Each structure stands twice: as structure tokens, then as C-alpha cells.
Amino acid sequence: MAVIVLDNGGGFAKVGYSTDKEPRILPNCVTKAKNVRTRIFIGDQIDDCKDLSGLYYLLAFQKGYLVNWDIERQVWDYMFGKDFLKADFNETSIVVTDPYFNFASIQEAMNEILYEEYQFKSVLRCNPSYLSQYKYRKECPDKQLCTMVVDTGYSFTHLVPYFKGKKIENSVKRINIGGKILTNHLKEIISYRQLMVMDETYVINQLKEDVCYVSQQFTKDMEIARMKGPNNTIVRDYVLPDYTHIKRGHVRPQGETTGKAKDGEQIIRMGNERFAVPELLFHPTDVGIQEMGIAEGLIHTISSMPEDIQPHMYNNIVLTGGNCLLPGFHQRLVTDARSMAPDEYDLSITNPSINPATYAWSGGAMLAQDPNFSKICVTREDYEENGHGICQEKFDV
């Protein structure tokens, strides 16, 4: 029996059959382009678009929850359809991720669409961190007791503790900072300081991924960024795409960073923005969001648990989600958490060697091979007989 694993994120959906090596990653939205009036781009069809300036996004997720089903349906129809997965629904099961603390109304709508519209044979809905900790425990058989999953994604960052594979519900914490806020903040400060880019979400997101990094010593980097001339090792010129000659923006190497545009190029000069923007993950108060940063939240979450499991939690921290791809993120989290954690506990933070953004997906692919997989799913017959109640009982979301 075929199993589709769908990690349905707010920014990107990671999807594929459980037998695939890697998932396919596609934007979980529908996009309209300024210069193409005649069509909309669903998911990764945006790669066919020649001019990516001033894109208009229609997102299925708002503030981390799935609220626009018309958009999500278009993305899913494309995803399961003949150009992509070619799913035969009656013979296929699906593992699909749900946001944490999801509303009952959204869960019921999801059940109806999966069972009644698409008519999947059976369904398993769970949080992405469940799949991440399943993979972690399978790969480290000596670490079965506790897992602390740090899931830092598009809309939020969640800190989710697991004890023997069960989520400790009342210790889950959410920090309202994700990749979307970083991109939006970067758009604002570039628009204020240099060039109006408020409509260029796509380009600025690429710029963030190409240039930004997490600083290990913030004040020291700030001092370097203030220096003039060759002493300033931080400043870089980012050449913006014009979609005629330059198809994708790129960073000039340090030697060529002069701050002057060559023949008709448009550049953005990136100084302290390179590390001041990702700093929000550790200090949200910098932009007036009165919350803890990731490191502080992590220590706070673990110290709120019973004392006898705290050392196990400190020793089994797993990082997942797209923000972990920022250079220096793992190192900074280790440094900050170590300085706040009690001295007598060992601290071990695992940064997946594979892409942290697809870690939950590969956990789902492993779970689908598990001999007990069918016991945790709800089949269509069960659903037709018992309705939403059986899903609420069986799915731990």
C-alpha cells in the first residue's frame, strides 16, 4: 500500500511517497505575477515564471493556521494530481502534519476533505515534532526516554518536549517568531535605509537565505560593521536580479564589495542587517515582541518539568525547521543555552546532518514503514462509521 507523507508547513509543503529518498519541497501558496495576467502559479509552478518581481501571494496559512481552504485545495489538487504524485486515493494512505494547538473546526474540515473529497484509504494526522522525535529515537536507540524538539519554521517557533514518545502537552511553548517575520523585517529596514522593496517578498527571502547569518558575538560584530574600508569584513553587496540578464540575485565576494553598482546593476548593501535580522530569533524584544528568545524559552520550558527528567531533556535536544539553515544558528543556540542551563547537566543539541527543514518529513517516511503504522491510522471505514470523534481520540494533535 502506498503512503504519501505531507509535512504541510505554512511556508513550504514537503511531500512525497514514503519510499522516496527525498521529499519535493514546494511553496504552500498560489502566486500571481505582475507580467503574467493570464495564469496563476500553484506551488512550485512559480519556477516557470520569468519575472519574479512584485509577486502577489495568496497564502493558505495565516499566523500558522490553515484558514484558506480554497487555496489549499488548489495546492493539494496540483500536488496529488497527474503532474506530480499521481495518487490513486483508494489505495493510498496519507500522513499529514497539523499545526500545534490546532482549532477543532480546522481539524474537522481537514478530516472532511481528506476522507470525503479525496477519499484516502486511511489517514494519520500528527504534529511535525512527533515525526521528528520518532526519527531521532529510531536513529539513537540509546535515547528512548526524552526528546526536546525545537521546531522553528515559517510562522512560529515551537518548543515541544516528548517523554517516551508522548507529547508533554502542558509544557509546549510557542515563540511568535519565524522565517516570515525575519523576511518582513528585512524588507522594512532595507526599504527604510536604501531601496523600496516592500513588494519584493520573493527576492528579499532569497537575499535573507544568501546573506544573513546568526552572530556569535553581537556587539563585536556591530563594531566591525561600523568600521570603514577593508577592516569591515561584514559588509557585502547583493546584486539584485533584473530578470533580463540576471536571473537570480547573488552576493559579491568580499574582494569585490565596493558599494558601487557596475553597468546597470542594482545593488543592496548589506551591513549589520546580515546578523541583526536573525538576531530576532534570540531577542524578539529588539522589534517590540515581548517574548523570550529561543535559548531562553528552551531553558524555561525544560525547567518547568519534573526535576528527574530535566537532565534527559537537556541531553536530547533536536533542531528542526528552515531557520536552522541560517549559518551559525546551531552554534549560537548551544552557546546561549549552555550559559543559562544548570552546570551539573550535560547539554547536547543535535542539528540534523540532512536538511533540518525536511527532518519531520523523513521521520514520517520512516513511520510509514513501521509494522504498527496501520494501528495508529484511522481508515475511511472507521471514519464513516464513527465520524470526527474517532479522529479526535486517535490523533495526538
Side-chain angles (χ1 to χ4, degrees), residues 214-234:
V214 177
S215 165
Q216 304 305 318
Q217 293 174 305
F218 187 76
T219 43
K220 190 173 170 206
D221 280 2
M222 265 302 186
E223 282 165 16
I224 296 174
R226 286 200 189 97
M227 290 177 179
K228 297 274 185 285
N231 295 337
N232 186 343
T233 52
I234 285 173

Side-chain angles (χ1 to χ4, degrees), residues 300-362:
H300 176 75
T301 305
I302 296 179
S303 54
S304 70
M305 284 182 241
E307 248 178 49
D308 46 352
I309 63 170
Q310 287 184 23
H312 299 287
M313 286 293 177
Y314 280 118
N315 217 357
N316 295 298
I317 300 170
V318 189
L319 300 183
T320 66
N323 295 332
C324 300
L325 294 165
L326 285 164
F329 179 85
H330 174 242
Q331 184 54 45
R332 170 71 184 270
L333 187 57
V334 171
T335 312
D336 281 16
R338 181 65 278 177
S339 67
M340 296 180 214
D343 294 347
E344 63 271 23
Y345 297 151
D346 287 341
L347 181 77
S348 158
I349 301 183
T350 309
N351 199 17
S353 49
I354 58 163
N355 183 348
T358 59
Y359 194 76
W361 181 90
S362 42

Side-chain angles (χ1 to χ4, degrees), residues 209-251:
E209 290 169 6
D210 292 348
V211 187
C212 287
Y213 69 93
V214 177
S215 165
Q216 304 305 318
Q217 293 174 305
F218 187 76
T219 43
K220 190 173 170 206
D221 280 2
M222 265 302 186
E223 282 165 16
I224 296 174
R226 286 200 189 97
M227 290 177 179
K228 297 274 185 285
N231 295 337
N232 186 343
T233 52
I234 285 173
V235 72
R236 293 282 186 281
D237 289 344
Y238 190 83
V239 180
L240 291 172
D242 57 9
Y243 297 111
T244 44
H245 308 299
I246 309 167
K247 292 284 182 279
R248 189 189 189 294
H250 60 269
V251 194

Side-chain angles (χ1 to χ4, degrees), residues 20 23 69 79 83-84 179 202 205 257 262 302 309 351 357 381-382 393:
D20 296 348
W69 281 106
M79 204 188 279
D83 300 332
F84 212 87
Y202 190 88
N205 196 49
T257 296
K262 299 174 188 166
I302 296 179
I309 63 170
N351 199 17
E381 292 77 35
D382 286 348
E393 276 171 43

Side-chain angles (χ1 to χ4, degrees), residues 129-130 133 145-147 160-167 313:
S129 62
Y130 174 77
Q133 64 86 31
L145 196 62
C146 297
T147 316
V160 194
Y162 281 83
F163 178 70
K164 293 186 176 168
K166 283 268 180 288
K167 184 168 66 186
M313 286 293 177

